[in-house]
Amino acid sequence: MSTVALLLTAAPLATAFSFGAKPAATAASQPFTTMPGAYGWASEKGLAYSFGKKFSQDKFPGLVKWTQEAEIKHARVAMLAAAGYPIAEVFHPLFGGSINEPSLIAFQATPLQSFWPIVVGAIGLVESASYIADTENPSETGRYWTFKEERLAGNIGFDPLGFGKDSDLRSEELTVGRIAMLGIAGMVLQEVNTGGYLSQVY
């Protein structure tokens, strides 16, 4: 329990650096104070201050929305990973259930490792389709990696259960996702350090 408390306490410190002059309360830092999941200090200083400065917004007009999108995507992947990582060590029916390795090295024990170029290619196709559909045409605007004005950060058009139909749940999603990012990082580091299963006591 003390380890979890330490990680949660140290999390805000990860953003405690900034590029340029000493942070000051300016209008340029406001874009992050209104984003989903914005909480106090971290929404105005640190990286939020650096990316929200007028210079950054003028140089990279789509930077604010891009970083919002990136955090939401990472949060979603981390939530899946944090759930799947420990479950895979106790429930692994694929390949006849014969692969009984720590999650850290389970992939290397399967025949799938020889198909990783196909997996990377499939991910590339999905990301390319997203880029073409959701970003401005650089030949018209001269800007790359800039979302369309109507594009809502985190909205990839896939919500089969309709959770976001009547309300914006991105703040709740980010709250859980940030904890999940810390959680999956801790699980991986534990197995790197011990070389065994998560549940293995040393």
Side-chain angles (χ1 to χ4, degrees):
M1 190 66 185
S2 60
T3 302
V4 174
L6 180 61
L7 286 174
L8 292 176
T9 302
L13 300 179
T15 60
F17 56 90
S18 174
F19 308 111
K22 183 179 179 181
T26 63
S29 65
Q30 294 308 306
F32 289 97
T33 62
T34 57
M35 71 174 283
Y39 297 109
W41 178 89
S43 67
E44 299 178 353
K45 297 181 173 59
L47 292 178
Y49 166 76
S50 297
F51 292 160
K53 286 192 297 187
K54 186 177 186 303
F55 167 78
S56 299
Q57 293 184 59
D58 290 343
K59 186 71 175 178
F60 307 102
L63 181 62
V64 171
K65 189 177 288 189
W66 191 267
T67 53
Q68 293 173 356
E69 172 90 2
E71 185 180 22
I72 293 173
K73 280 188 174 181
H74 280 78
R76 289 168 177 168
V77 172
M79 285 187 281
L80 291 173
Y85 202 87
I87 290 174
E89 294 191 348
V90 295
F91 180 70
H92 37 264
L94 297 180
F95 304 102
S98 60
I99 299 174
N100 187 24
E101 301 289 344
S103 291
L104 183 68
I105 59 173
F107 181 75
Q108 288 88 323
T110 71
L112 295 176
Q113 61 176 327
S114 59
F115 295 101
W116 68 264
I118 298 176
V119 175
V120 173
I123 295 173
L125 286 175
V126 173
E127 288 295 327
S128 297
S130 175
Y131 175 81
I132 294 172
D134 298 330
T135 59
E136 296 179 350
N137 187 343
S139 64
E140 297 176 356
T141 64
R143 298 192 298 264
Y144 291 87
W145 313 107
T146 303
F147 284 117
K148 294 177 180 177
E149 188 66 30
E150 67 275 11
R151 174 63 156 76
L152 188 67
N155 183 8
I156 60 174
F158 180 76
D159 185 16
L161 299 180
F163 288 129
K165 182 179 180 180
D166 299 320
S167 59
D168 186 352
L169 300 176
R170 290 178 298 166
S171 290
E172 291 79 1
E173 190 176 20
L174 279 170
T175 299
V176 178
R178 287 163 179 166
I179 296 173
M181 285 188 271
L182 291 172
I184 188 60
M187 294 182 215
V188 172
L189 288 174
Q190 177 180 322
E191 291 198 350
V192 168
N193 183 53
T194 64
Y197 298 93
L198 285 174
S199 59
Q200 192 167 341
V201 180
Y202 292 88

